[in-house]
Amino acid sequence: KQWYQRRVAITAGTGNELVTCTSVIKLQNVQRGVRLHSHEVKYGSGSGQQSVTGVTNSDDVNSYWVIKNASNKPECKRGAEIKCGDVIRLQHFSTGRNLHSHTFTAPITGSHQEVSAFGENGKGDEGDNWQVVCSSDLWYKSSAVRLRHVITSKYLTVPGGTYGRPIAGQYEITAHGTISDASLWRPAEAVMFMPSNEDSAGHDEL
């Protein structure tokens, strides 16, 4: 019988850790170095939904996301491996809303589409579904991946524009069809649920 144990995986680790279902992670953009972020600030245009941005601060708690199964699918097992090609949902840890996109125009980069946080307590719709695009069989913490929005086939991207007040200096996050380093993401700080062959006596909780 397979059991799962939880442990903290920090960026200084080996990088060989698997990224798994229910893990709590921060995603860092390869090109810009910013972490995917959200907060209780709504867009003043477009959908008016909760905004999603990129921040340079590595210790902001609003940059944590929980890996879940795709919207309208059964919950995945804690510690289940995430395979390249799997469709997942990223639930914002602090607000419970899901990483989302749609055909609304991005606030700064008009040729891109808006990315928002949507739903309540993890309940949203199929616009919350993202496919993990990577080159190996499984998603490892050391691996850079792309997240492709399933409905629109656009990639989660940091085009480079920044906002003014009230979120001055935070980077615009969009979805766009171009494949580049701006659409590559790597897990940074994380609390991982890792597969374990230990029995229940060896099950650790933080």
Side-chain angles (χ1 to χ4, degrees):
K1 185 175 181 179
Q2 191 176 43
W3 295 83
Y4 299 97
Q5 70 179 42
R6 187 170 77 171
R7 66 185 179 86
V8 178
I10 305 299
T11 50
T14 64
N16 292 325
E17 300 93 347
L18 288 169
V19 178
T20 59
C21 186
T22 71
S23 291
V24 184
I25 66 172
K26 292 182 181 181
L27 285 174
Q28 185 175 29
N29 185 260
V30 170
Q31 184 176 77
R32 306 288 179 183
V34 298
R35 286 161 173 78
L36 188 68
H37 179 90
S38 193
H39 38 227
E40 294 278 6
V41 177
K42 297 184 185 303
Y43 287 122
S45 61
S47 69
Q49 294 172 3
Q50 181 172 302
S51 58
V52 172
T53 63
V55 297
T56 56
N57 188 356
S58 64
D59 59 3
D60 194 317
V61 296
N62 283 324
S63 300
Y64 279 113
W65 301 81
V66 185
I67 300 176
K68 299 288 191 75
N69 205 0
S71 184
N72 301 322
K73 298 292 184 182
E75 289 295 335
C76 52
K77 293 181 180 179
R78 186 178 70 178
E81 300 165 339
I82 304 296
K83 299 179 177 66
C84 296
D86 280 354
V87 176
I88 64 169
R89 173 169 44 99
L90 290 173
Q91 182 180 345
H92 189 238
F93 184 80
S94 299
T95 65
R97 296 188 174 96
N98 300 322
L99 186 71
H100 181 90
S101 193
H102 35 222
T103 56
F104 284 100
T105 300
I108 299 174
T109 309
S111 59
H112 292 213
Q113 67 190 34
E114 181 190 276
V115 170
S116 64
F118 174 75
E120 295 294 335
N121 298 317
K123 302 296 184 182
D125 62 26
E126 291 185 353
D128 306 336
N129 291 341
W130 300 82
Q131 184 180 41
V132 178
V133 180
C134 45
S135 57
S136 58
D137 292 333
L138 301 172
W139 186 7
Y140 290 92
K141 186 169 174 283
S142 58
S143 303
V145 304
R146 291 184 172 88
L147 295 173
R148 187 182 68 87
H149 189 240
V150 172
I151 290 178
T152 65
S153 298
K154 308 294 186 184
Y155 295 90
L156 189 70
T157 299
V158 187
T162 57
Y163 292 103
R165 297 170 66 181
I167 50 175
Q170 295 187 21
Y171 281 74
E172 181 189 36
I173 302 295
T174 67
H176 193 246
T178 300
I179 295 176
S180 69
D181 286 351
S183 61
L184 277 174
W185 299 85
R186 179 177 288 115
E189 299 80 14
V191 177
M192 298 284 198
F193 283 91
M194 304 299 292
S196 173
N197 292 321
E198 297 176 1
D199 62 16
S200 58
H203 180 67
D204 293 332
E205 293 288 347
L206 291 180

